[in-house]
Amino acid sequence: MLKSFACAAALAVASYAMPAAADTCTGTCGTAAPNGVVTAPPAYGPSYQYVSTVNGVDGAGRIGTLGTNGSQLVTSAFTAAAGDALNFYFNYVTSDGSGQYTDYSFAELLKDGAHAAWLFTARTTPNGNTSPGFGLPANDSVLTPSSSAIVAGAPAWSALGDSTGRCFSSGCGYTGWIGSNYSIATAGSYQLRLGVTNVNDDAYQSGLAFAGITINNAPIGSVPEPGTWALMILGFGAVGQALRSRRRDAQRSARLA
């Protein structure tokens, strides 16, 4: 019996140390250090994650049918209660300008695999704001700053591959780090889908850097589920009981000797 409880404790520790499931990438995703126009994020840095249209997959990283090829990352599932604050930072970078090849990026909140909210959109444009993205769904989150024009120029960033330091027409550049804050509407199991896609061609790449995805300031995946907490408490109690029993046995053996 004690052995089975001790095993339960070991399983509980393993459940706490490792997320239940890994993020899922379609296309090109990665982790990078600050380089080029993408500096360290405001929090949970200095590294960050990214998705890029480099070697993108046809149909990936899109909203509806808009786009050609792209990439997306879907996070592992996390639980949240109504009113919980979901926060993260993003930085959209594009080498594809002009009004014809308007690449874009976004973050979508999924609940039980279905659409729940748009957490941001950003889109290449020669004029006006890059974030929120024109012609895309309205944001359900609060952005800081609420709108952002492009920091113009040929952006140098390793995630752009051969397009780093290049620019096709006006509209190229980067937004800089923007904060997204969303209040969870109803309790449940959630995921984030973060995507970036080329539009009308597959040349002159764009990318999205993101960091600091948290629920109530706790990084997603760092807090055990309630069931895991219960298993940990039960298991650690069993380990303590086993150690006390072993100590008593050792004391009895010493007296008999």
Side-chain angles (χ1 to χ4, degrees), residues 51 61-63 71-73 75 86-92 104-110 115-122 136-141 143 178 180 182 191-196 208-210 213:
V51 290
R62 300 194 317 193
I63 296 176
S71 300
Q72 67 179 37
L73 182 141
T75 69
L86 172 61
N87 295 295
F88 66 95
Y89 295 93
F90 68 92
N91 187 348
Y92 174 63
Y104 68 91
S105 183
F106 65 90
E108 179 183 20
L109 182 65
L110 306 174
H115 171 80
W118 296 107
L119 302 180
F120 85 85
T121 59
L136 299 176
N139 291 337
D140 298 307
S141 61
L143 301 184
I178 297 173
S180 173
Y182 178 76
Q191 293 171 285
L192 265 66
R193 182 172 76 104
L194 301 110
V196 62
L208 168 71
F210 57 95
I213 304 176

Side-chain angles (χ1 to χ4, degrees), residues 125-165:
T125 179
N127 302 292
N129 289 317
T130 300
S131 170
F134 74 91
L136 299 176
N139 291 337
D140 298 307
S141 61
V142 176
L143 301 184
T144 305
S146 59
S147 60
S148 176
I150 202 76
V151 180
W157 184 37
S158 60
L160 296 179
D162 291 343
S163 294
T164 183

Side-chain angles (χ1 to χ4, degrees), residues 19-59:
D23 297 343
T24 301
C25 174
T26 304
T28 298
C29 312
T31 301
N35 70 89
V37 300
V38 180
T39 59
Y44 299 96
S47 63
Y48 51 84
Q49 293 176 270
Y50 69 85
V51 290
S52 171
T53 58
V54 174
N55 297 320
V57 175
D58 290 347

Side-chain angles (χ1 to χ4, degrees), residues 92 94-98 101-103 124-125 155 166-173 198-199 201-206:
Y92 174 63
T94 179
S95 70
D96 209 349
S98 88
Y101 304 103
T102 50
D103 297 353
T124 306
T125 179
R166 301 176 65 193
C167 176
F168 180 81
S169 192
S170 57
C172 301
N198 281 310
V199 174
D201 68 358
D202 58 3
Y204 287 92
Q205 309 305 323
S206 297

